[in-house]
Amino acid sequence: MRSNSELAQTAAMLTIGAVGVIAIGVQSAMYGALERAGRIGLAEIGLAASVEMVVLAIGVVLAGRLARGMSLPLLACLGAGLLVLANLAMPYASGGAMIALRALAGLAGGVLLWLANAYIVQSRHVVKLAALFLVLQTVVQFSVAAAAAAFLPGNPDAIPLIMAGCGLIAFFLAPAAAGWTAIPEDHAQTAQSAFGAPCLTALATMALVQLSLVGGWILVELVGSAAQLSAATVAAATPVMLAAQVAGGLAAMAIAGRLSWSTALVAIGILLGLVQVMLGLTSAALPFLALAGAYGLLWNFALPQLTGMALAADPSLRVARIGPAAVVAGAALGPLAASTLAEWLSPGAATMAFVLPSLATSLAVIVLRQQIRREKTAQG
């Protein structure tokens, strides 16, 4: 049974991490408002969004380095403070300056994400906590977008200003980062071992999963429009997907410990590929929304399994700690792959093309499972 102080610390650490990744879920709404206000061009939107995610991945890796010589509460204060300043400066920026600010926000977000993830991978219930973290992320992102629409309608800086307020909350929660260490002593010796094939395969799998998820989803609105579905139906796809993401995270919490990460991820890769093919072929409203829900369900059911995979591939926690960097890197490559495919294929065909990385994910998991078995056999 967890004490009240431990539960409070867990809630604070998950909130800190969720604040760090708000931008990932609200980029479309934020950049759409800024583009309509003439503050950023269409070409710059793609660059700004990709730069923010790439730098967020860099922030995850950098935080791991900084944590070796800096107290974790101070690291949390620095990350949250930088996030607040970058978002508060948004109303005064446009074009290239805005891209630079989003890069700073991404760096800060990566630091906060690393702190939450480092806490999760050292917990007693890793997969359950990882799933809860994903549910919290979805709820926070949805709340920010809804608050901007409800309380600051028409204000192009609504979302950055709300994110600055969330960053301030994370700043005041920073003391919760005290009382635990990011590098436990019992893992110190293991951490000196070589970064072998299972580690690299696990990181590649993490990037591949997110590339397929994000890349396939980016095209969904285009698929709906090409199928001549109503604007209301197309617009409803995102809320349906977000609601299903919450359900997917809760389902991952419910089955934690009952289903192996390898079985789950192999099945998810196959099912995701099937959903992507069906999305590319659909031409009716109800199946379109049902598939959007299935997409969200698989999304947040898959990601907690990656934490279990990382721990199996590398018990020293190195892969688990830097795993979010691989996930974010995959998320950054997803839109690039989608836009490239969309130049040559119809939206439906481009969406169906993502069946390849989905099935490759299942294959990579099978390979990783064999690598882990061989390594254990070699170690005797």
Side-chain angles (χ1 to χ4, degrees):
M1 191 91 164
R2 290 189 172 192
S3 66
N4 289 337
S5 60
E6 187 179 359
L7 288 172
Q9 183 182 48
T10 298
M13 292 307 302
L14 296 188
T15 300
I16 286 172
V19 167
V21 294
I22 290 174
I24 293 177
V26 299
Q27 280 186 335
S28 177
M30 178 176 69
Y31 288 122
L34 291 167
E35 191 274 332
R36 287 191 295 273
R39 300 255 302 282
I40 192 169
L42 289 174
E44 292 169 320
I45 288 176
L47 178 59
S50 296
V51 164
E52 183 167 6
M53 284 195 285
V54 169
V55 177
L56 196 152
I58 293 171
V60 170
V61 177
L62 179 62
R65 299 290 182 181
L66 292 175
R68 298 178 181 180
M70 182 184 296
S71 74
L72 298 183
L74 178 57
L75 187 60
C77 283
L78 287 175
L82 182 59
L83 188 68
V84 171
L85 292 175
N87 281 296
L88 284 179
M90 284 287 288
Y92 309 101
S94 61
M98 187 174 294
I99 294 173
L101 286 176
R102 295 323 306 165
L104 285 176
L107 187 67
V111 170
L112 300 182
L113 175 59
W114 182 89
L115 284 162
N117 190 68
Y119 183 82
I120 288 169
V121 299
Q122 294 170 200
S123 70
R124 295 192 295 271
H125 306 287
V126 176
V127 174
K128 284 187 177 181
L129 210 54
L132 179 60
F133 183 43
L134 285 167
V135 171
L136 180 61
Q137 287 178 39
T138 304
V139 170
V140 170
Q141 290 165 2
F142 180 81
S143 299
V144 168
F151 301 113
L152 295 169
N155 185 338
D157 298 303
I159 288 178
L161 291 175
I162 294 173
M163 286 197 291
C166 293
L168 198 58
I169 293 173
F171 183 87
F172 287 116
L173 290 176
W180 62 281
T181 176
I183 308 176
E185 291 299 323
D186 57 343
H187 289 288
Q189 184 174 356
T190 311
Q192 301 301 318
S193 60
F195 205 74
C199 300
L200 296 174
T201 304
L203 289 173
T205 302
M206 289 178 171
L208 197 57
V209 167
Q210 196 70 342
L211 183 153
S212 185
L213 284 166
V214 175
W217 182 255
I218 285 288
L219 298 166
V220 163
E221 289 198 9
L222 293 178
V223 168
S225 299
Q228 297 184 334
L229 300 178
S230 70
T233 298
V234 174
T238 295
V240 167
M241 189 272 286
L242 288 172
Q245 277 191 326
V246 173
L250 294 174
M253 290 175 62
I255 63 92
R258 298 184 179 90
L259 184 66
S260 72
W261 58 267
S262 56
T263 301
L265 287 172
V266 169
I268 287 166
I270 295 170
L271 289 172
L272 179 61
L274 181 62
V275 169
Q276 288 165 334
V277 169
M278 293 174 69
L279 264 174
L281 296 173
T282 190
S283 58
L286 189 57
F288 177 75
L289 293 177
L291 289 168
Y295 209 105
L297 187 71
L298 289 171
W299 195 317
N300 269 16
F301 189 82
L303 296 186
Q305 313 307 324
L306 297 180
T307 304
M309 178 189 71
L311 293 174
D314 179 26
S316 74
L317 303 185
R318 291 171 300 175
V319 171
R321 286 202 187 96
I322 65 173
V327 170
V328 174
L333 291 173
L336 178 63
S339 61
T340 301
L341 287 169
E343 289 182 5
W344 298 94
L345 304 171
S346 68
T351 300
M352 288 191 287
F354 279 95
V355 70
L356 296 176
S358 295
L359 295 180
T361 295
S362 296
L363 179 60
V365 171
I366 293 170
V367 170
L368 174 60
R369 188 167 54 189
Q370 293 303 316
Q371 289 175 335
I372 293 172
R373 286 176 180 170
R374 283 199 298 269
E375 196 169 84
K376 286 182 178 179
T377 302
Q379 292 172 354

